[in-house]
Amino acid sequence: MDRLYLIAEAGGEHFAIPAEAVESVVTASEVVPVPLADPMVAGVSALRSKVITVIDTVSAIEGGAAAVAAGCSLVVVTIDDFLYGLAVEDVHDVVDYADDPERLGASFAPGWQRVSTGVIEIDGRTIVVVDPA
């Protein structure tokens, strides 16, 4: 059975998120920092009268302090009834993929291995499939 994936880019790397995990893709408004938050949390923002936690995707995967600017794209996901906006550089496409993701190879960095459920092949390019949770 075909699965839909949203292809996005963060830190110069393309990755896929299962489309059923994605609520929407929006442009970030003002991101307000949250004192003492985890370093990957850029802050909070407003989304249709709701508070959304903004995650710096690169920081979540590679470590380091969050840095998200207003105007970047956010892939909005719901995890345990809370809204999160995953900050990305670009959203490229939604693609059909017929097969299950293949196992992620050891050549990928530990951060990608931690968030991945496998890889898919799109147009001759290996794309990591990310579990937003």
Side-chain angles (χ1 to χ4, degrees), residues 27-32 43-47 50-54 74:
T27 300
S29 60
E30 180 183 7
V31 178
V32 179
V44 294
S45 189
L47 176 67
K50 293 183 180 181
V51 175
I52 181 172
T53 302
V54 178
L74 299 177

Side-chain angles (χ1 to χ4, degrees), residues 24-29 46-48 52 71-76 85 88 91:
S24 61
V25 176
V26 299
T27 300
S29 60
L47 176 67
R48 296 184 287 271
I52 181 172
C72 75
S73 294
L74 299 177
V75 177
V76 179
V88 298
V91 175

